[in-house]
Amino acid sequence: MNWLNIFSGALASVSNISIIIWLLLIILLTCRFYKMYYDERAIERRKQISLLPSLTKTYLETINFIWLVSSMSPQDTLPYFSSVLKSVGPLVYMNTIIRDYVFINDPDDIKILLSSTQHITKGPEYSILEPWLSTGLLTSTDEKWQTRRKLLTNTFHFKILETYIPAFNKHANGLVQNLAKASKNDQLVTNIDSHVTLCALDIVCETIMGVSLRSQEGQSIEYVKAIKTMSRVVKKRIITGWLWSDTIFNVSTWGRQFYKSLKVLHEFSKNVIQQRKQKLNFSENPIAGTIGERKKVQSFLDLLIEISKEHPNSMTDADVQEEVDTFLFEGHDTSSIAMTMALIHIGMNQNIQDNIREELQGIFGDSDRDATMEDLKSMFILERVIKETMRLYPSVPSVTRTLNQPLQLKNHTIPAHSIIGVLIYILHRDESMYPNPEVFDADRFLPEQCNDRHPYGYLPFSAGPRNCIGQKFAMYLMKTVLSTVVRHMKLETLGTQKDIVVSTQLVLKADSLPSLKLTPLFENHKK
C-alpha cells in the first residue's frame, strides 16, 4: 500500500513537472514569436522609412539636425522648414531619436491625411495643454472626440451665432474708443495687437461664458494677467526641449508660473459655470430641445449646461469646464492675430482701405448703427481681405497627427507611430498656387481665382473631420470688429511688410509690428 502511494505521488510529481515544463515552453515560444513579429515589424518600419526623402539618413545627420533645431529662435523655424521643403521636396522625414516626424506639403497628400476619420489623434505637443484644457475638443481623440464634436456642433448653429452679434458690436465699439484714446494728439499706436487681443477676449468671454470680463476697461486684471502668463509659459515650453519633461518643468520657475496661473483660470471658469447654473433654473424655465425653440439661451456656456442636463453621462461638470477653457483660449488667441494682421495690411494698402470703406458706405450709408448678420454677409471685399490675411498669417501655422496605423499617401507609406505634420504657413506660400506668394493680394480670393485652386491648398481653419468648429463664429467676429474700426478710423501703417516678424508655436505670434497712425473720422471719437 505504501509503495502504491509512493508510485502515485511520483506520477503526480512527474505530471506537475510536465505541466510546468509545458508552461515554460509555451512562454518561451510566445516570447520568441513576439520577438520575431517585433523584429519583422521593426524591419518593415525601417524599410518604409528608408524609402522616404530624409534629412537624417545617418546618426551624425540626426545629431546635427537635433542640435540645429533646438538652437533656433522661434522666428527662424518657419524659414528653415520652408527652405527644407523647397530643397528636398513636398515630403521629408526627420528623426529626432525619440520620435519620427514626416512633414508633407502636397495638397493631395494633405487631403489623404486630414480627410481621414481614422487619423485624428493630435501630435504630442498638444499634451502640454492638457493640465489647462484637459481632454476637451482640441486635445481629445477617438470616441470621446467624436461624441463631443457631435454634441457641440449645434452650439454654433446659425441662429445661435446671430444672438452673439450684439456682443460683437459692443466690444468692437469699445475697441474704437480705446484706439481713439491711444491715438489722441497724433500719438502712434505701437501695440495694436494688445488692444485687439483684449477686445477679442471680451467678445469670446461674453459669448462663451455669458459674463462681462471688461478687460478693455482695465477690469478682471488677475484673469487677463493669467491668460497672458499661461500663453507665454506654453510658448516657452514648446520651444525648450528640456521643459518637455514634466519632472523638470514642474520644479522650474516656468512650471510654478504655469500652475499659479492655472489655478486662477480654473477657479474663474468654475465659478462662472456655477453662477450660470444657478441663474438657469431648468425646472421652472425649461429649454426646448430644438434650435428654433430655445429660450433664454444667451451664451455658449448656457448651451453646454443644457447639454449636460440632457446628457449627464456625456457632459459632466468637468467636461463643461474643459470646453469653456478650450474655447476661451482658442477663440480669442486665434482671432486676435488675424485681426491684428488685417488692420496692419489695411493701413499699409490705402487702395484696399478705400475699397472696404466704399463697400461699407454702400451697406450702412451715413448711419452709425451697429452691424447685423445680413450686413456681415454683404461684406465681400472685407471677407477677401480677411482670407488673404489668413493665407499669409494663418492663426494655426501647423497641425500634427500621431499615426496609430500606417498611412498610404500618393507615393509613400508612412509607418504607424510616426508624427505627420502639415505646415500650413508654408503651404499658403506655395508658388504653384499663389504666384508672388509674399505679396498681399486680396483678389486671390475672387470666385474665379478660387475655382481651380486645390481645396486643400488653403487651410486657415484646417480641414476634414477635425476642422475648426468655430470658423463661422470667428469670421463673423472678425468682420464685425474690422468693419467697425474702418468705418470710424483712417489707418496708416508706418512701415512695410518686412517690418512684421512672426514666430510659430501652437498659434502664430507677432514678435514685431510696425506702428499705426489712426485718425478718427467722427467728432465724437476725437474728444
Side-chain angles (χ1 to χ4, degrees):
M1 194 71 176
N2 290 336
W3 283 105
L4 183 60
N5 290 336
I6 292 171
F7 182 72
S8 298
L11 283 176
S13 298
V14 170
S15 178
N16 289 335
I17 292 171
S18 297
I19 292 173
I20 293 172
I21 291 173
W22 275 110
L23 286 173
L24 289 172
L25 284 172
I26 291 171
I27 292 171
L28 289 172
L29 286 171
T30 301
C31 291
R32 177 59 181 165
F33 284 132
Y34 176 80
K35 188 175 187 301
M36 289 172 61
Y37 168 75
Y38 178 81
D39 286 346
E40 286 191 13
R41 187 174 63 182
I43 291 170
E44 179 63 23
R45 179 182 178 82
R46 287 195 295 271
K47 180 180 178 181
Q48 291 174 344
I49 286 176
S50 70
L51 298 175
L52 302 176
S54 175
L55 278 185
T56 54
K57 294 179 180 179
T58 67
Y59 184 73
L60 181 59
E61 287 178 339
T62 299
I63 297 300
N64 286 337
F65 170 73
I66 294 171
W67 176 260
L68 177 63
V69 172
S70 62
S71 61
M72 283 181 185
S73 69
Q75 295 93 340
D76 296 331
T77 305
L78 289 171
Y80 170 72
F81 283 104
S82 179
S83 65
V84 166
L85 289 167
K86 283 182 180 179
S87 61
V88 177
L91 184 149
V92 60
Y93 164 78
M94 303 167 190
N95 178 22
T96 63
I97 298 179
I98 299 174
R99 297 171 181 143
D100 293 314
Y101 281 88
V102 178
F103 288 101
I104 57 176
N105 201 49
D106 185 320
D108 289 330
D109 284 341
I110 293 171
K111 180 179 179 180
I112 293 171
L113 173 68
L114 296 185
S115 64
S116 170
T117 56
Q118 298 176 338
H119 303 291
I120 61 171
T121 302
K122 292 292 187 74
E125 62 273 13
Y126 287 86
S127 62
I128 289 177
L129 293 172
E130 287 188 8
W132 178 12
L133 308 179
S134 190
T135 52
L137 195 64
L138 176 65
T139 55
S140 60
T141 190
D142 296 331
E143 185 178 351
K144 179 175 181 178
W145 173 81
Q146 292 168 356
T147 301
R148 192 62 59 82
R149 176 84 183 205
K150 185 177 180 180
L151 285 173
L152 295 178
T153 295
N154 276 343
T155 63
F156 288 97
H157 187 276
F158 169 77
K159 290 186 177 180
I160 300 301
L161 293 179
E162 196 167 21
T163 67
Y164 295 159
I165 302 301
F168 292 174
N169 279 298
K170 179 177 74 173
H171 296 297
N173 286 317
L175 174 62
V176 169
Q177 295 291 342
N178 281 345
L179 291 177
K181 292 176 184 177
S183 58
K184 193 174 182 180
N185 299 323
D186 294 327
Q187 293 184 69
L188 300 181
V189 176
T190 59
N191 60 339
I192 185 67
D193 53 331
S194 296
H195 288 285
V196 172
T197 297
L198 292 179
C199 174
L201 188 57
D202 273 343
I203 289 175
V204 173
C205 192
E206 181 160 336
T207 54
I208 286 179
M209 293 186 177
V211 298
S212 179
L213 194 61
R214 299 176 64 189
S215 60
Q216 290 192 96
E217 301 174 30
Q219 302 297 313
S220 305
I221 296 175
E222 187 178 10
Y223 183 76
V224 173
K225 188 183 299 183
I227 283 281
K228 290 182 178 179
T229 300
M230 186 66 86
S231 298
R232 185 175 66 252
V233 173
V234 168
K235 171 183 175 180
K236 178 65 177 178
R237 193 177 186 191
I238 289 173
I239 64 175
T240 308
W242 57 270
L243 287 177
W244 277 71
S245 165
D246 289 338
T247 303
I248 295 175
F249 178 73
N250 290 342
V251 299
S252 69
T253 302
W254 294 100
R256 290 193 292 272
Q257 292 180 22
F258 180 91
Y259 288 106
K260 182 179 179 180
S261 298
L262 183 65
K263 183 179 179 181
V264 173
L265 297 176
H266 279 175
E267 286 182 352
F268 180 87
S269 56
K270 187 180 296 184
N271 289 336
V272 168
I273 291 168
Q274 293 305 317
Q275 290 174 18
R276 294 300 295 175
K277 276 192 169 185
Q278 292 173 5
K279 291 181 180 179
L280 294 173
N281 188 333
F282 287 96
S283 60
E284 294 181 6
N285 300 296
I287 300 178
T290 61
I291 293 292
E293 298 173 353
R294 294 188 188 275
K295 300 177 181 179
K296 297 186 179 180
V297 177
Q298 299 175 347
S299 71
F300 176 78
L301 177 55
D302 292 349
L303 300 171
L304 290 180
I305 293 172
E306 178 191 347
I307 292 172
S308 70
K309 179 76 173 180
E310 297 174 352
H311 307 277
N313 294 329
S314 301
M315 185 70 72
T316 64
D317 287 351
D319 293 330
V320 171
Q321 182 168 346
E322 69 186 10
E323 295 303 347
V324 168
D325 287 329
T326 294
F327 280 88
L328 181 59
F329 163 66
E330 282 195 289
H332 96 276
D333 223 11
T334 54
S335 60
S336 61
I337 183 67
M339 290 190 290
T340 295
M341 293 304 185
L343 290 172
I344 292 291
H345 280 280
I346 289 171
M348 206 179 289
N349 298 273
Q350 294 301 311
N351 289 338
I352 291 177
Q353 186 173 168
D354 290 341
N355 290 338
I356 294 172
R357 193 169 286 116
E358 182 178 348
E359 178 178 66
L360 297 177
Q361 177 69 22
I363 295 172
F364 296 97
D366 295 328
S367 170
D368 195 32
R369 66 176 176 80
D370 288 341
T372 65
M373 180 69 82
E374 292 306 312
D375 295 331
L376 300 178
K377 289 179 180 179
S378 301
M379 297 177 186
F380 302 111
I381 295 175
L382 180 57
E383 182 170 319
R384 293 200 294 272
V385 169
I386 293 172
K387 287 181 175 179
E388 175 67 352
T389 301
M390 292 190 295
R391 180 191 69 82
L392 277 170
Y393 309 101
S395 302
V396 179
S398 64
V399 294
T400 58
R401 299 285 187 272
T402 298
L403 301 183
N404 298 317
Q405 55 187 322
L407 173 66
Q408 182 61 55
L409 300 177
K410 279 196 312 183
N411 301 315
H412 298 94
T413 300
I414 312 302
H417 310 298
S418 302
I419 300 161
I420 188 165
V422 178
L423 297 172
I424 297 172
Y425 182 95
I426 297 172
L427 174 71
H428 286 181
R429 284 165 166 74
D430 187 327
E431 293 184 15
S432 65
M433 292 186 290
Y434 304 102
N436 300 316
E438 295 295 336
V439 174
F440 187 93
D441 181 6
D443 286 346
R444 298 182 198 273
F445 292 94
L446 287 167
E448 58 269 24
Q449 295 291 330
C450 298
N451 289 338
D452 296 329
R453 188 175 298 145
H454 198 294
Y456 281 75
Y458 181 67
L459 304 172
F461 297 107
S462 190
R466 291 211 74 148
N467 68 346
C468 176
I469 193 173
Q471 56 187 286
K472 290 183 179 179
F473 172 94
M475 184 59 78
Y476 289 136
L477 184 160
M478 290 187 287
K479 280 187 174 183
T480 304
V481 172
L482 295 174
S483 64
T484 302
V485 173
V486 174
R487 285 172 67 193
H488 293 89
M489 315 197 85
K490 179 181 178 181
L491 296 82
E492 297 176 76
T493 301
L494 304 183
T496 68
Q497 197 168 312
K498 293 181 180 179
D499 297 316
I500 300 173
V501 179
V502 298
S503 62
T504 178
Q505 290 83 46
L506 284 180
V507 294
L508 200 70
K509 291 293 183 181
D511 295 327
S512 179
L513 293 170
S515 299
L516 275 173
K517 180 181 178 182
L518 301 176
T519 305
L521 299 177
F522 301 100
E523 287 300 323
N524 61 321
H525 291 140
K526 295 179 182 179
K527 296 178 182 179

